[in-house]
Amino acid sequence: MILTVLILLPLVGALVTAFVPAAVARLVGLGFAAATLVAGIVAATQYDAGDGMQLTETHTWIESLGVHYALGVDGLGLLMVLLTVVLVPIVLLAGWHESEAPGNNGAKAFFAWTLALEAMSLAVFTATDVLLFYVVFEATLIPAYFLIGGFGRAGRGRAATKFLIYQLAGGLIMLASVIGLYVVSADAGNPSFLISDLAALDIDETTQRWLFVGFFVAFAIKAPMFPVHTWLADTTEKATTGTSVLLVCILDKIGTFGMLRFCLGLLPDASQWATPVVIVLALISIIYGALVALAQDDVLRLIGLTSLSHFGFIVLGIFVFSSNGSSGAILYMVNHGIATALMFLVAGFLIRRTGTASIREMGGVEKAAPVLAGFFLVGGLAAAGLPGLSPFVSEMLVIIAAFDHHWLVGSVAVLAIVLAAFYALWMYERTMTGPERIGVAPVADLDRREVGILAPLLLALLLFGFYPMPLLDVINPFVHESLASVGIGQEGGPQ
């Protein structure tokens, strides 16, 4: 029952942290996050790459409706679990003092809500019952709403409300498809919400298409994709950088995770039917996100909008239906989480030192804080897909698959890499180079604690940039099984 333990640890930690004295709340919260990290590593050691769904447990929940408390992980789920358990302790350490800034609700609340969000996210990535998935999918909105609305800059309440409205709307649309799947299984004589049972159903073409629309809209909002992305920039601008890491690097991955697990896994014919439209939306997201990022003055808003472009790459990789594309998309999910977490956290340290998030009000930081500037540069170059950093491998796999799909699709994707270099280098130039701001004390460099927080992310970018095989060895078996379910061979052609 390692997966149940993995979910319960941060959930219990959230409750304990909420009720212990404020003086020890941060240590207690960090201790539970560390214990969850250890449990995640233990789960990974028990996983045998290439052997399908593992670490499974199934218990009847509502027998009359065929609802089960069912958990399990495959290659996709395991990597999302590991990404979550690694990033949460880093976020807590980074927010050690930030959560106590004037106007915020205090460190105790920040740590408790962060652990609650971790527990719900882990439940999403391990759920193998559709109704259970839906329940915890919606439950993630509770801690996310309070993290956005309770901590950050002026206007965060409005951003939290906008976030909640978008996500609830997507969830309600998905609920219709969840119910539709159950009705189909009941008509087949085996009412069930288990993914394994639903995958065996022979669903007619029209029904598949309607069910696909319900799931895809919800996941496109969560991811996010154009044109249902407008909550993203407002949220990352107003929330704390730690909260933005949780939302963009963990929670938003539920969108692309759901596309792979439900759209392709349960509705393969409808997924191929929708491919032309989805690819167009992905390409618009890629280009639009990069262009809009170039026009931003707020550094947090800029980083948030770059993720719109990156998620477009992920969705493109999923829906070109090839082994390179799918492997690149899943690898991109991991690498984007690492690189974007680094960017947000360095930006948070920078803003706390300068007192502003406005790019035009910064300048000359690298002279006074070369270590901070170095981390910021690496994060920007990772976002731009520099060879030697892990996002490069992901982008190359997706671009190769895009060209295999159609030369025009590949050409548009390549254009986005050029735009990414523009916004990454432009952001660094305006914030880090040039004269220091007149009349403002020099920016202090990162201290040992802050370097220790960022170092694991930097090492991961370098390690997986030069040697991505540990991740691909877990990803590829899932990809081959997933493509086989839609009738695509390992080379990307029909079987």
Side-chain angles (χ1 to χ4, degrees), residues 104-122:
N104 288 339
N105 288 342
K108 179 192 286 193
F110 180 81
F111 276 56
W113 285 123
T114 297
L115 289 171
L117 183 60
E118 179 181 24
M120 295 301 101
S121 298
L122 291 171

Side-chain angles (χ1 to χ4, degrees), residues 209-418:
R209 292 178 179 181
W210 281 109
L211 296 176
F212 174 90
V213 170
F215 279 114
F216 182 80
V217 169
F219 296 143
I221 293 173
K222 181 73 74 177
M225 290 183 65
F226 178 90
V228 287
H229 66 282
T230 58
W231 61 269
L232 173 66
D234 292 342
T235 301
T236 56
E237 179 185 1
K238 302 302 182 182
T240 66
T241 52
T243 298
S244 295
V245 170
L246 296 173
L247 295 179
V248 177
C249 302
I250 298 175
L251 200 64
D252 287 359
K253 298 297 188 301
I254 296 173
T256 47
F257 173 88
M259 292 178 193
L260 287 160
R261 177 74 78 225
F262 296 96
C263 294
L264 270 66
L266 300 181
L267 309 166
D269 294 338
S271 296
Q272 295 197 63
W273 161 75
T275 291
V277 174
V278 175
I279 287 179
V280 169
L281 292 177
L283 292 176
I284 293 174
S285 297
I286 291 170
I287 300 300
Y288 178 77
L291 289 174
V292 176
L294 280 168
Q296 302 306 310
D297 177 61
D298 188 289
V299 65
L300 297 179
R301 195 175 182 92
L302 188 156
I303 297 172
L305 284 166
T306 64
S307 292
L308 173 61
S309 183
H310 295 151
F311 274 101
F313 264 106
I314 296 171
V315 175
L316 177 62
I318 293 171
F319 279 88
V320 293
F321 291 107
S322 75
S323 57
N324 281 333
S326 296
S327 295
I330 299 172
L331 188 61
Y332 212 139
M333 290 167 68
V334 178
N335 292 333
H336 170 267
I338 298 169
T340 305
L342 179 65
M343 285 291 291
F344 270 125
L345 295 179
V346 177
F349 294 149
L350 176 63
I351 291 168
R352 190 158 63 225
R353 285 163 166 76
T354 60
T356 180
S358 173
I359 294 174
R360 68 166 63 96
E361 295 180 13
M362 298 181 188
V365 173
E366 67 178 8
K367 298 176 182 178
V371 177
L372 186 153
F375 276 105
F376 199 66
L377 178 61
V378 172
L381 293 176
L386 181 74
L389 298 175
S390 57
F392 170 77
V393 182
S394 316
E395 288 186 351
M396 286 303 100
L397 287 172
V398 172
I399 288 173
I400 290 169
F403 272 109
D404 288 341
H405 182 80
H406 194 281
W407 68 267
L408 183 58
V409 174
S411 300
V412 175
V414 168
L415 176 60
I417 295 181
V418 178

Side-chain angles (χ1 to χ4, degrees), residues 130-275:
V130 177
L131 188 61
L132 175 63
F133 173 89
Y134 175 77
V135 170
V136 290
F137 176 92
E138 294 289 79
T140 59
L141 302 183
I142 300 171
Y145 173 81
F146 285 104
L147 282 169
I148 298 167
F151 307 88
R153 295 193 276 172
R156 60 182 183 265
R158 183 175 180 274
T161 301
K162 185 175 183 178
F163 164 84
L164 190 64
I165 290 173
Y166 268 79
Q167 304 298 327
L168 284 176
L172 287 173
I173 294 171
M174 185 172 72
L175 179 59
S177 289
V178 171
I179 295 172
L181 276 175
Y182 174 78
V183 171
V184 172
S185 70
D187 289 343
N190 181 31
S192 175
F193 283 101
L194 285 174
I195 293 176
S196 56
D197 292 339
L198 296 172
L201 294 175
D202 183 17
I203 306 175
D204 68 84
E205 185 178 90
T206 301
T207 303
Q208 272 204 42
R209 292 178 179 181
W210 281 109
L211 296 176
F212 174 90
V213 170
F215 279 114
F216 182 80
V217 169
F219 296 143
I221 293 173
K222 181 73 74 177
M225 290 183 65
F226 178 90
V228 287
H229 66 282
T230 58
W231 61 269
L232 173 66
D234 292 342
T235 301
T236 56
E237 179 185 1
K238 302 302 182 182
T240 66
T241 52
T243 298
S244 295
V245 170
L246 296 173
L247 295 179
V248 177
C249 302
I250 298 175
L251 200 64
D252 287 359
K253 298 297 188 301
I254 296 173
T256 47
F257 173 88
M259 292 178 193
L260 287 160
R261 177 74 78 225
F262 296 96
C263 294
L264 270 66
L266 300 181
L267 309 166
D269 294 338
S271 296
Q272 295 197 63
W273 161 75
T275 291

